[in-house]
Amino acid sequence: GAGVSQSPRYKVAKRGQDVALRCDPISGHVSLFWYQQALGQGPEFLTYFQNEAQLDKSGLPSDRFFAERPEGSVSTLKIQRTQQEDSAVYLCASSLGPGALNYGYTFGSGTRLTVV
Amino acid sequence: AQKVTQAQTEISVVEKEDVTLDCVYETRDTTYYLFWYKQPPSGELVFLIRRNSFDEQNEISGRYSWNFQKSTSSFNFTITASQVVDSAVYFCALSETNSGGSNYKLTFGKGTLLTVNP
């Protein structure tokens, strides 16, 4: 597609519910990133994929967070047993090459998750 | 650890005023990249500029200009003759080099909300 597409745009979850957030990167982009943006804060790195390999998951805040990209294109960020502190905008970004610095990131519009 | 500080939380100006957004960073890397992104109300982060640590030339793009000074670890962004459409949150970001030498991870500042009033 022309840009990075994320769905749903908004998600309200009851505390304890599991959620799945989807990211469709730009076709052909090798690298995919997830960032978490709390209200009034800058985005914070969660995880990085190069094709289907998850090369860095150091930013995932707990073992309730899980990300996958099984075929090297679409990625899903799953949060189990959601808690109120998980409320944030989850941004996905993709990049043409490995790493991102020579190619730049393209960000999606994000999924705003509200846990009630 | 890397750090990016945007001391200005909110700035409000009247259209046609010039405005400068400050960014100060901390890093131990000798090779790094600095970025500015714009986040309009729609939520996506729009890339504005990337600068590597070896290039201290100032850059101008239309009404936008950037001043990179390694001596003060600053990478400030100026909008000349601001317009209402410039209203957004602006983020400064710094790349981070991991132990393997890859630098794909961005560290963002907290952002500056710019409001341009007609």
Side-chain angles (χ1 to χ4, degrees), chain B residues 39-105:
Chain B
Q39 188 174 46
S42 52
E44 79 276 19
L45 285 166
V46 178
F47 169 81
L48 296 178
I49 190 171
R50 175 181 64 227
R51 191 48 120 211
N52 74 54
S53 52
F54 297 107
D55 183 0
E56 287 192 71
Q57 261 194 324
N58 291 331
E59 182 157 337
I60 298 174
S61 175
R63 296 184 297 106
Y64 296 169
S65 62
W66 291 269
N67 183 321
F68 176 30
Q69 293 197 345
K70 281 180 81 169
S71 60
T72 56
S73 297
S74 66
F75 186 43
N76 297 337
F77 171 34
T78 298
I79 302 174
T80 302
S82 59
Q83 299 175 2
V84 173
V85 293
D86 296 328
S87 298
V89 180
Y90 291 85
F91 290 97
C92 180
L94 171 67
S95 69
E96 185 174 324
T97 303
N98 66 15
S99 56
S102 298
N103 52 0
Y104 52 79
K105 186 187 299 187

Side-chain angles (χ1 to χ4, degrees), chain A residues 9 35 37 56 101 105, chain B residues 35 39 42 50 103-104 106:
Chain A
R9 188 77 176 89
Y35 281 78
Q37 185 177 14
D56 188 342
L101 278 304
Y105 283 38
Chain B
F35 298 76
Q39 188 174 46
S42 52
R50 175 181 64 227
N103 52 0
Y104 52 79
L106 292 178

Side-chain angles (χ1 to χ4, degrees), chain A residues 4 29 33 35 45 48 92-96 99-101 103-107, chain B residues 35 37 45-47 50 103-106 108:
Chain A
V4 177
H29 275 200
F33 307 83
Y35 281 78
F45 173 84
Y48 162 50
C92 178
S94 69
S95 176
L96 182 59
L101 278 304
Y103 303 93
Y105 283 38
T106 301
F107 279 88
Chain B
F35 298 76
Y37 283 89
L45 285 166
V46 178
F47 169 81
R50 175 181 64 227
N103 52 0
Y104 52 79
K105 186 187 299 187
L106 292 178
F108 286 84

